Amino acid sequence: MQKEILLEILKQNQFTSHFSLDRVSDENASLRLNDNTASIGFIYRHIGETMNLFAALLGVPTGVKNTTMGQTDTGQGVDVECSRQLISRGYSVLKDLIENSADEDWLKPVDTPFFGTVTRIRLFVHALYHTSNHAGQISLTLARGSN
């Protein structure tokens, strides 16, 4: 039952976030909410990178390199298709992690560079919250942003 619940939570996050994420395109990737914010493309890439980096912290090496976390937007998000593939891969890796983890694994500790030691389930939930938060930023920028 636990796997089914986690898979449903993951599906809902993907479904809810897709309303924003599926609207990212080459044409709007450079939009910013204001001069002091990151572009849609940067945020989009950041989502893809961090999903995979969180998975790596959960024990699934992805080989994805961080170019956005703690970084300034210098054009890292211009390749929208690459970012789209990172996000798709991130969801896939998280799904595989759920399907291949024992129930008791979710309460095991994992060391993170930003929260200290937390349970694996807390890091998983944070990964989904993080995605939703940035999907909201993209949605707002699509509605109100400019070049």
Side-chain angles (χ1 to χ4, degrees), residues 46 116 128 147:
H46 176 70
L128 300 182
N147 282 324

Side-chain angles (χ1 to χ4, degrees), residues 75-112:
Q76 297 94 313
V78 295
D79 189 343
V80 171
E81 184 54 35
C82 178
S83 298
R84 190 177 321 282
Q85 289 173 11
L86 283 171
I87 292 170
S88 177
R89 182 175 166 196
Y91 276 117
S92 179
V93 167
L94 292 175
K95 182 177 185 249
D96 290 346
L97 183 68
I98 293 168
E99 291 173 339
N100 296 306
S101 294
D103 286 353
E104 60 272 9
D105 288 347
W106 292 101
L107 294 177
K108 290 182 179 174
V110 60
D111 292 324
T112 71

Side-chain angles (χ1 to χ4, degrees), residues 99-136:
E99 291 173 339
N100 296 306
S101 294
D103 286 353
E104 60 272 9
D105 288 347
W106 292 101
L107 294 177
K108 290 182 179 174
V110 60
D111 292 324
T112 71
F114 18 83
F115 306 124
T117 302
V118 296
T119 60
R120 292 166 56 87
I121 190 68
R122 282 184 57 190
L123 184 58
F124 173 79
V125 169
H126 178 75
L128 300 182
Y129 168 77
H130 179 268
T131 298
S132 297
N133 178 59
H134 286 309

Side-chain angles (χ1 to χ4, degrees), residues 46-91:
H46 176 70
I47 292 169
E49 286 181 359
T50 54
M51 288 177 81
N52 286 279
L53 294 169
F54 287 142
L57 288 172
L58 290 167
V60 181
T62 61
V64 172
K65 304 251 187 291
N66 173 39
T67 67
T68 59
M69 195 174 355
Q71 305 296 315
T72 301
D73 183 348
T74 58
Q76 297 94 313
V78 295
D79 189 343
V80 171
E81 184 54 35
C82 178
S83 298
R84 190 177 321 282
Q85 289 173 11
L86 283 171
I87 292 170
S88 177
R89 182 175 166 196
Y91 276 117

Side-chain angles (χ1 to χ4, degrees), residues 11-46:
K11 276 189 227 173
Q12 187 60 43
N13 179 271
Q14 191 170 14
F15 176 76
T16 303
S17 296
H18 99 85
F19 291 105
S20 295
L21 302 183
D22 287 357
R23 295 186 312 163
V24 176
S25 67
D26 291 332
E27 291 74 34
N28 61 30
S30 63
L31 292 178
R32 295 172 185 264
L33 195 53
N34 61 52
D35 291 340
N36 297 319
T37 60
S39 67
I40 286 175
F42 180 90
I43 297 167
Y44 194 56
R45 179 164 187 92
H46 176 70

